[in-house]
Amino acid sequence: MAGPRPAISEIPHPALAAWLTARGEPAFRAGQILAGAHRPTSASFDDLSDLPMSLRGALADAFEFSTIADTHVISGDRGLTAKAVHELADGQRIESVLMRYPARGRSSERTTICISSQAGCAVNCPFCATGQAGFGRQLTPGEIVDQVLHWHRPPWSALGDGSTGHYNIVFMGMGEPLNNADRVFAAVRLLNDPERLGIGARHITVSTSGVVPGMDRMIDELPQVNLAISLHATTDALRDELVPINRKWPVREVVAAGRRFAARTGRRVSLEYVMIDGVNDTDEQALGLAAHALGWLSHVNLIPLNPTPGSRWSGTPAAGIARFGALLRDRGIGVTVRDTRGRDIDAACGQLHAQLAGRSLRELRAVEVPA
Ligand code: SAH
Ligand code: SF4
């Protein structure tokens, strides 16, 4: 739980205004407080220097500035990737990752931040470190937003003032976001809020292992948020093994939900496909994938498996990925081969967390702030 005090990152404006009024403070200070709490220079309520000192103290007594109790950060990819393990008030640990993509040619610098939606995950995909660790609990909207705020605030202050729109948020950390849909949707609305970080829905992506009712809710409730489907196999026999939630919602239903999303929202859906050597990278799977992806607004992302410690599987070699990709392209499917960021710092889903289990973050902390 987030603790008895509400998080400033999830308190609704009217509730904050009511709290102020009850203290005899003007309600307009609610906007000032929210602006201050989301400034990249604010590390605590003390830094809200446009507020009277007594009010800063009262805020600290009444609200959590962050639901994250402690964080350990390590950098990799020569400073382009940074991965955080966050410890929450009850000792649960979650992960978020910051990835920078330097400006190249005509494209300007981009940053993507990958966040968790649950502590652990119950879906239990055998190639995923989070799945192997099992389910802890649901995250609150504040705990989801506070992962973004961690990178926004000192000492990182890596995301600018939030008005630039030059960064993206992906729900690709720990957890299955659509198994925590109410809180994830609430977090998305908080991230969108112009009084807070003001991140446009088009800069946010929800990745799902195939929770069909959740995808249908996205069509109605978050039609501007991007949808990525972790397909990873094109036959039920193989997908039952790789993405066990397939036993509930089989491939055909998952792809049909993707098609509905694309048709109703006009937005392109990503089909994520982790390439596992000798397992799901056969020509037969490529042709199956082409058949599922053809004829609607879809795009395939091929991702080499980042093997978890002790894994019986390895990633498909580059030549195999190229061959698989060519089979898709020959059939008119849009394909991107994604790089796996953070291999050198175990940034695949849940891995760093697994490595640090049982060690205190305070003891480990040696925060490297990128230059
Ligand atoms: N639960 C959601 C979102 C979190 S996982 C989902 O499964 O979509 C985000 C992505 O990371 C998924 O596409 C997942 O399949 C992928 N992933 C998990 N473990 C991985 C690994 N070891 N190597 C490469 N990708 C991995
Ligand atoms: Fe859960 Fe996604 Fe990992 Fe599967 S890949 S166990 S759905 S976090």
Side-chain angles (χ1 to χ4, degrees):
M1 296 303 291
R5 290 180 298 189
I8 201 71
S9 54
E10 70 169 51
I11 189 91
H13 184 135
L16 188 55
W19 178 84
L20 286 161
T21 308
R23 294 182 45 85
E25 297 276 354
F28 73 80
R29 291 222 185 272
Q32 247 180 326
I33 292 166
L34 290 179
H38 293 83
R39 257 197 301 268
T41 48
S42 301
S44 74
F45 287 116
D46 275 348
D47 294 327
L48 275 54
S49 52
D50 47 350
L51 301 178
M53 200 71 96
S54 61
L55 181 55
R56 290 183 236 168
L59 282 167
D61 290 340
F63 301 100
E64 297 282 0
F65 191 71
S66 177
T67 55
I68 294 170
D70 203 356
T71 293
H72 176 66
V73 178
I74 59 168
S75 297
D77 296 326
R78 281 170 276 122
L80 291 178
T81 306
K83 172 148 184 162
V85 177
H86 306 291
E87 195 163 284
L88 305 173
D90 63 352
Q92 290 282 348
R93 289 179 181 181
I94 54 168
E95 299 180 4
S96 70
V97 184
L98 179 87
M99 291 162 280
R100 291 172 185 281
Y101 298 87
R104 235 197 271 147
R106 276 186 303 168
S107 72
S108 53
E109 180 179 307
R110 269 186 316 121
T111 297
T112 294
I113 166 163
C114 173
I115 58 176
S116 298
S117 55
Q118 300 178 310
C121 183
V123 177
N124 207 17
C125 305
F127 57 88
C128 167
T130 303
Q132 282 153 26
F135 180 67
R137 66 165 170 85
Q138 305 288 18
L139 298 187
T140 63
E143 287 168 335
I144 295 170
V145 172
D146 283 343
Q147 297 167 61
V148 181
L149 280 173
H150 160 79
W151 298 106
H152 186 78
R153 288 171 171 163
W156 297 88
S157 304
L159 303 178
D161 63 4
S163 62
T164 54
H166 284 312
Y167 65 97
N168 299 308
I169 293 180
V170 296
F171 281 89
M172 293 189 184
M174 299 172 94
E176 168 46 57
L178 298 182
N179 278 347
N180 188 18
D182 287 340
R183 297 179 194 82
V184 165
F185 290 9
V188 167
R189 291 194 186 95
L190 289 164
L191 292 167
N192 291 156
D193 185 350
E195 267 204 311
R196 298 169 192 262
L197 287 172
I199 300 160
R202 286 158 193 268
H203 292 282
I204 300 176
T205 299
V206 168
S207 175
T208 181
S209 55
V211 179
V212 168
M215 290 191 264
D216 282 325
R217 277 188 63 186
M218 279 181 66
I219 296 174
D220 292 325
E221 297 176 46
L222 301 175
Q224 296 199 317
V225 168
N226 303 296
L227 174 66
I229 300 175
S230 296
L231 205 58
H232 307 332
T234 65
T235 56
D236 286 325
L238 183 57
R239 198 165 187 269
D240 279 352
E241 190 191 342
L242 294 182
V243 189
I245 206 168
N246 195 69
R247 293 177 198 143
K248 195 159 181 187
W249 293 291
V251 174
R252 194 175 34 82
E253 287 182 31
V254 170
V255 172
R259 292 181 81 125
R260 279 198 294 281
F261 182 94
R264 292 269 307 278
T265 65
R267 306 186 61 69
R268 192 174 82 168
V269 172
S270 301
L271 301 175
E272 308 291 310
Y273 203 91
V274 169
M275 303 286 294
I276 310 176
D277 196 19
V279 174
N280 64 353
D281 56 358
T282 59
D283 290 1
E284 187 194 357
Q285 289 289 328
L287 298 182
L289 182 52
H292 286 307
L294 198 63
W296 59 288
L297 210 51
S298 69
H299 186 90
V300 172
N301 286 319
L302 301 177
I303 312 142
L305 176 79
N306 198 354
T308 56
S311 169
R312 60 195 147 122
W313 290 317
S314 50
T316 304
I321 297 179
R323 197 204 68 245
F324 193 95
L327 283 172
L328 294 168
R329 282 194 196 97
D330 287 350
R331 281 153 187 82
I333 311 297
V335 182
T336 303
V337 178
R338 289 235 311 251
D339 62 338
T340 43
R341 272 301 183 92
R343 265 176 192 273
D344 55 339
I345 54 169
D346 293 329
C349 220
Q351 284 187 26
L352 182 62
H353 161 82
Q355 231 182 48
L356 300 184
R359 298 168 69 183
S360 119
L361 296 193
R362 224 162 249 109
E363 177 194 307
L364 284 162
R365 185 174 38 220
V367 177
E368 296 169 46
V369 181

